[in-house]
Amino acid sequence: MENQTLGKDILLLEGLQVTPQSSTPAFILLLLIYIFIMVSNISLVVLIFMDQSLHQPMYLLFCNLSINDVFGATAIIPRLLSDMLIPSTERYIHYIDCVLQAFCAQIYAGASHTVLMVMAFDRYVAICNPLRYTSIMTNWMVVKLSVLAWGVVFVMVLILIGLSVRLSRCRSIIAGPFCDNASLFKLSCESILINNIYGLGYTAVLLGSSICSIMLTYLRITMVCLSSKNKVLNTKALQTCATHLAAFLIMYFSGLINIILHRFPDLSEQRKVASIIFHMVPPGINAFIYGLQIKAVRQKVFVILHVHPSF
């Protein structure tokens, strides 16, 4: 396979290795999951923007998460579905398209952390400093936090992908279900020391700042709730934080498993599945968690569906 002659800018994408018997059920399952991700997340964004009562910092910041989920799923799943319809020996992709897909995949992964970090900041101000919440979390602050969440990731990923693109290529096979940064620099026979140093540094900074800021934020929120005597507000605050924390843990561990499996070449098929799960499970679950667990959004959904909630 590695010696197969391809055009200079044409790569062979391994994709998912499925048997002919299981290809149709797998295709239908992936398609249904993708439709659910798109419909649920886009519906929530439209609902939040159309309903004036939901024009609050918490929900506006959540729109960033839904937009990122739609972006991440669209960058990966449609191509994956089309590849499942053709033989594995004919799954070609142009190098430029591969770079673009890798860039989008890395943007999605990075923004998943930064968006949840700014959402945690919003909850921290709301619960720990409620009297100043409206003066701090203005519309302008929401815009600045959103731009910061996307801008930081954009610059860091641009450097990450740029370091891989600069390398000459001696291989033409992408050993994965889709293109990502690791698959790009593995196409080269040059030294990738700089790529490894920056990549590990980028991952450490992103994951470290993400988990530290969110855990410290919710530790502080828990302490405030425990010291407060208002049980109603405490219950509401903890319910909201639990929703946010659940979304973070699902995203964090699904991504962490993928990073760990990258270090074990013998587990290539397991890594493929894990990388696809990272682009399907969090986007699907986030919409469910926030759409049905946050009371204000849940009530709006039931009103639209003409259902009277009993909880």
Side-chain angles (χ1 to χ4, degrees), residues 166-230:
R166 71 184 174 86
L167 300 170
S168 61
R169 304 189 302 277
C170 64
R171 302 183 180 94
S172 58
I173 298 178
I174 300 294
F178 55 85
C179 297
D180 55 14
N181 181 61
S183 63
L184 285 180
F185 65 68
K186 286 179 181 179
L187 295 174
S188 177
C189 294
E190 296 182 33
S191 171
I192 56 173
L193 178 61
I194 296 177
N195 298 70
N196 284 330
I197 292 174
Y198 181 82
L200 290 173
Y202 165 77
T203 303
V205 169
L206 184 66
L207 296 185
S209 59
S210 174
I211 192 169
C212 288
S213 62
I214 288 179
M215 291 305 175
L216 290 175
T217 296
Y218 286 112
L219 180 61
R220 174 61 178 162
I221 289 174
T222 302
M223 292 174 62
V224 170
C225 291
L226 291 176
S227 61
S228 174
K229 297 180 180 180
N230 193 327

Side-chain angles (χ1 to χ4, degrees), residues 53-229:
S53 65
L54 296 178
H55 288 187
Q56 303 174 32
M58 176 181 173
Y59 304 120
L60 294 176
L61 289 174
F62 166 69
C63 287
N64 286 286
L65 191 62
S66 285
I67 292 171
N68 186 51
D69 288 339
V70 169
F71 175 76
T74 302
I76 301 302
I77 300 179
R79 172 77 199 202
L80 197 63
L81 289 170
S82 65
D83 284 344
M84 293 179 68
L85 299 176
I86 58 179
S88 59
T89 56
E90 299 176 9
R91 295 171 181 171
Y92 300 119
I93 184 171
H94 196 278
Y95 180 70
I96 298 300
D97 295 333
C98 187
V99 171
L100 181 60
Q101 187 181 53
F103 180 79
C104 293
Q106 298 296 153
I107 287 287
Y108 162 75
S112 296
H113 289 272
T114 55
V115 169
L116 287 175
M117 287 168 66
V118 298
M119 290 176 66
F121 173 76
D122 170 73
R123 291 300 83 203
Y124 173 80
V125 177
I127 297 171
C128 298
N129 207 347
L131 297 180
R132 297 184 58 201
Y133 180 73
T134 54
S135 62
I136 295 176
M137 294 303 299
T138 61
N139 290 336
W140 177 235
M141 176 59 76
V142 171
V143 172
K144 288 195 293 184
L145 289 174
S146 299
V147 171
L148 181 65
W150 289 95
V152 169
V153 171
F154 181 86
V155 172
M156 296 181 72
V157 170
L158 192 63
I159 298 173
L160 185 73
I161 299 297
L163 289 173
S164 297
V165 172
R166 71 184 174 86
L167 300 170
S168 61
R169 304 189 302 277
C170 64
R171 302 183 180 94
S172 58
I173 298 178
I174 300 294
F178 55 85
C179 297
D180 55 14
N181 181 61
S183 63
L184 285 180
F185 65 68
K186 286 179 181 179
L187 295 174
S188 177
C189 294
E190 296 182 33
S191 171
I192 56 173
L193 178 61
I194 296 177
N195 298 70
N196 284 330
I197 292 174
Y198 181 82
L200 290 173
Y202 165 77
T203 303
V205 169
L206 184 66
L207 296 185
S209 59
S210 174
I211 192 169
C212 288
S213 62
I214 288 179
M215 291 305 175
L216 290 175
T217 296
Y218 286 112
L219 180 61
R220 174 61 178 162
I221 289 174
T222 302
M223 292 174 62
V224 170
C225 291
L226 291 176
S227 61
S228 174
K229 297 180 180 180

Side-chain angles (χ1 to χ4, degrees), residues 266-280:
D266 294 338
L267 301 177
S268 59
E269 291 303 315
Q270 290 84 346
R271 178 177 58 80
K272 290 179 183 180
V273 175
S275 61
I276 293 172
I277 288 175
F278 179 68
H279 286 267
M280 292 195 310

Side-chain angles (χ1 to χ4, degrees), residues 231-274:
K231 294 184 178 180
V232 176
L233 290 179
N234 288 348
T235 301
K236 182 179 179 181
L238 291 176
Q239 181 182 5
T240 303
C241 293
T243 300
H244 187 177
L245 195 58
F248 171 76
L249 291 175
I250 291 169
M251 179 275 300
Y252 187 86
F253 283 108
S254 60
L256 185 62
I257 291 173
N258 187 34
I259 293 173
I260 293 173
L261 290 177
H262 253 297
R263 274 47 184 178
F264 298 94
D266 294 338
L267 301 177
S268 59
E269 291 303 315
Q270 290 84 346
R271 178 177 58 80
K272 290 179 183 180
V273 175

Side-chain angles (χ1 to χ4, degrees), residues 16-27 84 86 88 91 269:
L16 277 178
Q17 303 297 325
V18 293
T19 63
Q21 295 78 11
S22 60
S23 59
T24 300
F27 179 89
M84 293 179 68
I86 58 179
S88 59
R91 295 171 181 171
E269 291 303 315

